Every structure is written in C-alpha cells, then in structure tokens.
Amino acid sequence: TDGWNTLSAKLSMFEGNAGSWKQVKETIPVVVGGAGLAWGKGEEQARFHELEGPQKIEGDKRSPAGVFDLPFAFGYAEGEDFTKLEYIHVSNYIQCIEDITSAYYNRVVPDTVADMDWDSSDRMLRKDDLYEWGLMVAHNYPEAEVGSGACIFLHVWRDADHGTLGCTAMDKAFLRELIGWLDPDKNPRLILMPQAYYVQFAEDEGWPEL
C-alpha cells in the first residue's frame, strides 16, 4: 500500500529465491482493510512490532502487515483438485470463530463440534459470495493471542472502491488463478506492508524488487 491508512494496494506474484526472482503475472489492484494496515502477528513479528505503525487488534478494520504463511485454501466448489494446498469445501456448516472467549478463536470449524462455546462467528457460506474462493492468512495463527485479530483471508472483493474488515480482497478470477498457482512445497509467503517499509527491508531480506 502507499501508507498505513489507505485501502487500495497492488499485488504482485513472484517465483524464485533471493537474488533470482521472476514476476509471474501482471501486478493487479487489490483492497485491504477499510482503515488500512496495522502490524500483525506473522513471521518475524517481534522485529516488525519494534517499528512505528499501528498494531493489529480485533475489530480495527485494518489488515495485518508483515510476512505470513498461507496454510490452506477454501471455496464453494466441492473436491477441487486444481490446487496443491489443503482445501476446505465451504458448506453451510463451516464458520470462522471470532469470539475471543472461545477455545476455537481464529479457527475454521464446522458447527457440528461437540462444544460450541462461541457467540460470534463468520459464517463462510455467504449470500454475497465473497468467500466463493479464498485463502487463510496465518495472522495470529495457529497459536492465537486473544484480541489480536481473527479470520483474516484473501477473498473475493466487492470492487476496487470498498475495503474489507481486515482481509485482502481481489478479483475472483485472479484469486482462483492464485490458489491454483501456489505450491506448499515452495514455501509461499504473503508479504503485506506499506511500500516504504517493503523497500527498507527488500535488499537485506532478499525480497523481489518492485
């Protein structure tokens, strides 16, 4: 993004390793949280949390900034075999738990579990189809700190002018391509942050030059 408080962002896909990166597709527009970004709980979180900038909390309408694993994909289609990632078929029984008092906080679970101890959740089979395709972002995951934010996804956007409640959203066709391209054996990571911080870290970390 251009800064902490902007909802518009650019997403680029690269393959390779430090010093040898190849951009896979054209850079596309995406949107982040309606309030922008805040440092999240991903990889190297201690390092990033020492920097200036807001810190991600539940309900702040900010997408988490940092470096994150993408542990699984999900969608409304059954038995999708086009992705190498773990895949969850979203039915009417699947939900992501947002209740900070629940033992299942920040977990995607069916509502058939024996101890349904939550009062608030994100039902993933939505009438607006924003979760027709999606990826879990490993913010505050798998070990969840209460109140640091839950249920952070890459998902389908409404359009380029509407931010999310804390996720990153994009065109549906592109997202489906992204899910098909990702390979867990190649250790894919999402790097999301204001551009000034990305430029600051890119050379030392061996990240692609934008």
Side-chain angles (χ1 to χ4, degrees), residues 81-168:
D81 58 4
F82 72 93
T83 179
K84 298 181 179 69
L85 297 169
E86 177 185 347
Y87 180 82
I88 294 176
H89 170 228
V90 174
S91 68
N92 192 46
Y93 303 102
I94 300 295
Q95 51 196 310
C96 189
I97 309 306
E98 300 169 323
D99 187 338
I100 62 173
T101 68
S102 172
Y104 296 96
Y105 177 64
N106 200 23
R107 295 292 185 274
V108 175
V109 297
D111 60 9
T112 54
V113 297
D115 52 337
M116 294 172 58
D117 64 347
W118 57 84
D119 291 323
S120 61
S121 67
D122 190 358
R123 287 264 175 194
M124 297 180 67
L125 190 64
R126 300 168 57 113
K127 293 182 179 179
D128 58 16
D129 291 339
L130 295 187
Y131 294 168
E132 183 175 352
W133 299 108
L135 289 156
M136 180 72 172
V137 176
H139 159 73
N140 202 27
Y141 178 96
E143 299 299 325
E145 180 178 304
V146 172
S148 292
C151 307
I152 303 299
F153 307 130
L154 303 185
H155 65 70
V156 179
W157 68 5
R158 298 182 190 278
D159 55 48
D161 299 318
H162 289 82
T164 71
L165 296 178
C167 298
T168 298

Side-chain angles (χ1 to χ4, degrees), residues 3-203:
W4 287 112
N5 303 316
T6 60
L7 65 82
S8 296
K10 295 176 290 185
L11 185 147
S12 301
M13 296 160 54
F14 292 87
E15 285 186 340
N17 49 49
S20 179
W21 292 103
K22 177 183 178 181
Q23 186 164 351
V24 176
K25 295 183 180 294
E26 292 184 3
T27 298
I28 67 157
V30 300
V31 294
V32 296
L37 300 180
W39 289 120
K41 293 186 177 300
E43 299 178 0
E44 300 187 53
Q45 65 187 50
R47 176 185 183 184
F48 294 133
H49 284 206
E50 295 175 354
L51 304 173
E52 293 184 359
Q55 305 295 318
K56 173 69 181 168
I57 59 174
E58 189 73 47
D60 61 2
K61 296 184 180 180
R62 291 181 180 270
S63 298
V67 180
F68 306 96
D69 188 14
L70 299 167
F72 62 84
F74 58 84
Y76 292 178
E78 292 189 51
E80 286 302 306
D81 58 4
F82 72 93
T83 179
K84 298 181 179 69
L85 297 169
E86 177 185 347
Y87 180 82
I88 294 176
H89 170 228
V90 174
S91 68
N92 192 46
Y93 303 102
I94 300 295
Q95 51 196 310
C96 189
I97 309 306
E98 300 169 323
D99 187 338
I100 62 173
T101 68
S102 172
Y104 296 96
Y105 177 64
N106 200 23
R107 295 292 185 274
V108 175
V109 297
D111 60 9
T112 54
V113 297
D115 52 337
M116 294 172 58
D117 64 347
W118 57 84
D119 291 323
S120 61
S121 67
D122 190 358
R123 287 264 175 194
M124 297 180 67
L125 190 64
R126 300 168 57 113
K127 293 182 179 179
D128 58 16
D129 291 339
L130 295 187
Y131 294 168
E132 183 175 352
W133 299 108
L135 289 156
M136 180 72 172
V137 176
H139 159 73
N140 202 27
Y141 178 96
E143 299 299 325
E145 180 178 304
V146 172
S148 292
C151 307
I152 303 299
F153 307 130
L154 303 185
H155 65 70
V156 179
W157 68 5
R158 298 182 190 278
D159 55 48
D161 299 318
H162 289 82
T164 71
L165 296 178
C167 298
T168 298
M170 64 197 74
D171 174 77
K172 179 170 69 174
F174 183 89
L175 179 55
R176 189 183 185 283
E177 284 188 56
L178 176 61
I179 293 171
W181 169 70
L182 290 168
D183 183 346
D185 290 338
K186 296 182 179 180
N187 300 313
R189 293 295 184 269
L190 170 70
I191 303 174
L192 177 60
M193 60 186 63
Q195 185 167 356
Y197 284 97
Y198 184 92
V199 171
Q200 176 182 334
F201 290 118
E203 183 173 356

